[in-house]
């Protein structure tokens, strides 16, 4: 939300890190329907917590919508822990020229999560779709 985004922008680096990390833990907990207290270790792999390719896309969509950033479909596989994701988002927010503006995409409240997921999958480039598929296959091989 814009309110939390402005809090992050106005916070000290340590506070910003804490706010982003907490925000990610809440979002991931909501998507996976797990207890946020499972995040005692923010270096725990998100796939170990149960994040799969569809929930990864859902998380990416929420982050894009909430933070007004354009994020790769392979985001969760590139930054597979809360710590890694926090660092990456803080970097993006620090250099983002449009802080505080909301993306011009459709309002998530107007369409269902399933529609959003289907659209996100349809929007994937061939490279992004292949990377997601490869990551999912690697995960299933474990």
């Amino acid at each position: 939300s814009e309110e939390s985004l402005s809090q992050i922008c106005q916070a000290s680096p340590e506070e910003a890190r804490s706010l982003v990390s907490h925000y990610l833990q809440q979002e991931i907990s909501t998507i996976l329907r797990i207890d946020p207290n499972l995040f005692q270790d923010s270096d725990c792999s998100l796939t170990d917590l149960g994040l799969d390719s569809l929930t990864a896309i859902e998380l990416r969509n929420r982050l894009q919508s909430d933070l007004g950033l354009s994020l790769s479909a392979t985001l969760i596989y590139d930054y597979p822990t809360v710590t890694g994701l926090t660092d990456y988002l803080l970097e993006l927010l620090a250099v983002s020229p449009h802080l505080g503006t909301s993306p011009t995409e459709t309002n998530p409240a107007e369409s269902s999560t399933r529609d959003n997921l289907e659209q996100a999958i349809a929007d994937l480039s061939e490279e992004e779709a292949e990377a997601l598929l490869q990551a999912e296959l690697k995960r299933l091989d474990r």
Side-chain angles (χ1 to χ4, degrees):
S1 72
E2 283 188 35
E3 184 181 306
S4 58
L5 189 57
S6 68
Q7 277 184 320
I8 292 166
C9 297
Q10 294 166 6
S12 71
E14 297 78 26
E15 289 172 326
R17 163 174 284 292
S18 176
L19 286 168
V20 170
S21 181
H22 180 73
Y23 160 77
L24 285 171
Q25 291 173 10
Q26 293 302 315
E27 290 300 313
I28 293 164
S29 299
T30 301
I31 289 169
L32 296 178
R33 294 173 181 83
I34 59 173
D35 183 343
N37 296 324
L38 287 174
F39 284 103
Q40 299 308 330
D41 175 14
S42 30
D43 290 322
C44 172
S45 164
L46 297 176
T47 53
D48 289 349
L49 290 172
L51 205 72
D52 61 20
S53 53
L54 280 182
T55 51
I57 290 172
E58 185 178 348
L59 177 60
R60 186 213 46 182
N61 289 348
R62 284 181 184 220
L63 297 177
Q64 285 188 145
S65 174
D66 289 353
L67 302 176
L69 298 170
S70 178
L71 301 168
S72 161
T74 59
L75 174 74
I76 308 308
Y77 299 102
D78 296 336
Y79 306 94
T81 64
V82 170
T83 301
L85 205 46
T86 298
D87 291 343
Y88 178 69
L89 292 176
L90 285 170
E91 261 179 57
L92 286 182
L93 290 169
V95 298
S96 180
H98 58 280
L99 284 179
T101 62
S102 54
T104 55
E105 295 173 27
T106 60
N107 179 350
E110 291 173 8
S111 58
S112 73
T113 301
R114 182 170 185 83
D115 290 342
N116 288 342
L117 285 175
E118 287 174 0
Q119 187 57 50
I121 292 168
D123 289 345
L124 292 177
S125 70
E126 269 188 53
E127 293 79 23
E128 290 173 325
E130 186 175 346
L132 272 176
L133 181 60
Q134 293 295 336
E136 186 65 10
L137 288 172
K138 253 190 246 176
R139 188 183 73 79
L140 292 172
D141 270 352
R142 276 191 247 141

